[in-house]
Amino acid sequence: LAALSLAACGSSTPEPQQLVRVTNDEELAEAGSLVADGGLILIEEGTYHGTLQVSADDVTVRGADRNGVILDGQLEASSGIVGTGERFTVENLTVRGYLQNGVLVTGVTDENGAGIARGPDGYLPDAAPDPVPGYLVQYVTAENNGLYGIYAFNRTDGVIRNNLASGGSDSGIYVGQCASCNALVENNVMQWSAVGLELANASDVTIVGNRIVENRIGITVLSNYLEAHGPTKNTIIAGNVISNNNTAETPEHANGAFGTGIGLAGTVGARVSANRIEGNDNVGISITSSEDFAPVDNAIENNAWGGNGLDVSFTASPSAPGEGTCVLDEGIRTDPEGMGCDPGPGSYVQPAAPEGVSFASVPRPAERPGLDSVDETSRAL
């Protein structure tokens, strides 16, 4: 009995806590193991340099001030905040300078239970695990991260809203590998990344009310074999500003594209409506095949156009020509001309892209003259 009593007294496993306060790097590293299901991790004002990993369910990670709570990876740490539990929320803080992701919400873990997404261990097209439901990322500034600012992978039932994503080496915001994502991407600003917003094998996503400007590519929606659940189906892109995606002081895109508003590659049932698509030097909307995924039943209608090099191009491959795609806006410049429904392939060729820069050297929003402050979207929580 005495031995058992001593063992109990010497136990080093703390009780899960409903409220975990973070004031330094050591507490940041420990917070994910301390928080209980349904708990709150509150990060006080300051600059932190580590990673927060959270596996409990129904957890909220909240910064005390959006601009005053800064997680800075210093180009050394892999990801800033990683959530693997159900119904995970991140809000009201800044993440920057991470080699991979600012915020990663994922349904895939490694043998140690850590959340993963990018690379061969994360792409599991033949044996993808069941998706994890529920996430919310809001009022986050994600800048100068090595792959993605905000990344949702193998997740469903999510909302990404009221964020600023800038300087992403791959994309500012990314949603991938979900057969029916049931995701909403709304009211975000995405600037100065290789791609503002990217969807890959991510079906049932609604993109509405965003400002996607000054990237190399505004939006990419694609299907591929690197992830499970292709092709991407039923994307709604409505009520967004997608303009001036011609910024050379951005990271180079892997496929070499530049000056494109929206790229639809091997997508099925996409609806692009009521957007303002202007000032994209090469093409407003590019519709193509992707490997043997064909563009099928996509519709372009009721958009406002102006100042694009070409408004819409259709370049499906002979091996995956697709069917049912309709461009219904009138008075726009298309290739092939007078596109209508079920066009044949045009002859448009993407011009060579200018040389890019490292994600680490992209000017931060606060360093750009004339950019509105994000103070007004910081929450007093």
Side-chain angles (χ1 to χ4, degrees):
L1 288 174
L4 288 172
S5 178
L6 287 171
C9 291
S11 175
S12 61
T13 303
E15 288 292 323
Q17 303 172 26
Q18 286 296 314
L19 174 60
V20 178
R21 291 185 179 273
V22 173
T23 63
N24 56 52
D25 283 343
E26 182 178 353
E27 292 174 347
L28 182 75
E30 295 174 347
S33 62
L34 295 176
V35 71
D37 288 348
L40 169 65
I41 298 174
L42 180 60
I43 306 177
E44 301 291 356
E45 288 193 48
T47 300
Y48 304 83
H49 302 300
T51 298
L52 172 60
Q53 288 258 4
V54 182
S55 60
D57 295 333
D58 299 289
V59 169
T60 295
V61 175
R62 178 180 299 157
D65 180 271
R66 178 174 181 171
N67 301 312
V69 176
I70 301 171
L71 276 67
D72 188 339
Q74 297 182 299
L75 306 182
E76 295 178 357
S78 175
S79 295
I81 298 173
V82 182
T84 58
E86 298 181 5
R87 295 171 298 278
F88 179 62
T89 295
V90 181
E91 60 187 12
N92 213 51
L93 47 79
T94 294
V95 286
R96 70 188 188 200
Y98 286 90
L99 293 175
Q100 292 192 1
N101 315 292
V103 175
L104 169 61
V105 186
T106 180
V108 181
T109 57
D110 64 16
E111 62 276 8
N112 299 314
I116 57 174
R118 179 68 182 179
D121 293 333
Y123 292 136
L124 302 168
D126 298 322
D130 291 336
V132 175
Y135 62 92
L136 170 62
V137 182
Q138 61 180 356
Y139 301 101
V140 168
T141 300
E143 54 188 24
N144 300 80
N145 294 290
L147 286 175
Y148 310 110
I150 299 168
Y151 187 6
F153 184 76
N154 210 75
R155 303 285 300 213
T156 60
D157 306 321
V159 177
I160 301 173
R161 67 184 178 202
N162 298 325
N163 304 289
L164 171 61
S166 174
S169 186
D170 195 306
S171 58
I173 297 175
Y174 183 108
V175 180
Q177 189 172 284
C178 36
S180 182
C181 305
N182 189 30
L184 174 64
V185 181
E186 67 170 348
N187 296 336
N188 303 281
V189 175
M190 291 165 257
Q191 290 183 304
W192 287 53
S193 295
V195 182
L197 170 65
E198 183 171 358
L199 309 184
N201 293 9
S203 296
D204 302 322
V205 178
T206 297
I207 303 161
V208 61
N210 302 279
R211 180 174 175 80
I212 307 172
V213 300
E214 299 176 334
N215 306 281
R216 291 196 160 223
I217 306 167
I219 300 174
T220 294
V221 183
L222 63 92
S223 307
N224 62 35
Y225 288 104
L226 291 175
E227 304 179 23
H229 309 311
T232 297
K233 301 178 181 179
N234 306 326
T235 305
I236 296 174
I237 304 174
N240 305 279
V241 174
I242 305 162
S243 67
N244 300 316
N245 290 288
N246 320 298
T247 301
E249 294 178 52
T250 49
E252 292 184 35
H253 186 256
N255 293 331
F258 181 82
T260 300
I262 301 172
L264 304 178
T267 59
V268 176
R271 297 290 180 268
V272 182
S273 178
N275 303 281
R276 180 177 169 184
I277 306 170
E278 64 179 10
N280 302 288
D281 283 353
N282 289 326
V283 61
I285 300 178
S286 169
I287 306 170
T288 67
S289 310
S290 177
E291 302 175 62
D292 61 356
F293 292 108
V296 176
D297 293 337
N298 302 295
I300 313 298
E301 58 185 343
N302 300 322
N303 299 283
W305 304 86
N308 301 298
L310 182 71
D311 291 317
V312 181
S313 68
F314 186 87
T315 54
S317 67
S319 59
E323 61 182 0
T325 289
C326 292
V327 178
L328 303 177
D329 287 339
E330 298 181 354
I332 62 174
R333 291 174 300 113
T334 67
D335 182 13
E337 293 184 5
M339 194 174 293
C341 293
D342 282 324
S347 58
Y348 172 77
V349 176
Q350 170 75 47
E355 184 177 349
V357 301
S358 164
F359 73 93
S361 63
V362 174
R364 292 175 178 166
E367 299 168 344
R368 294 179 219 151
L371 184 70
D372 292 338
S373 169
V374 298
D375 286 337
E376 66 274 10
T377 56
S378 183
R379 301 180 69 186
L381 297 169

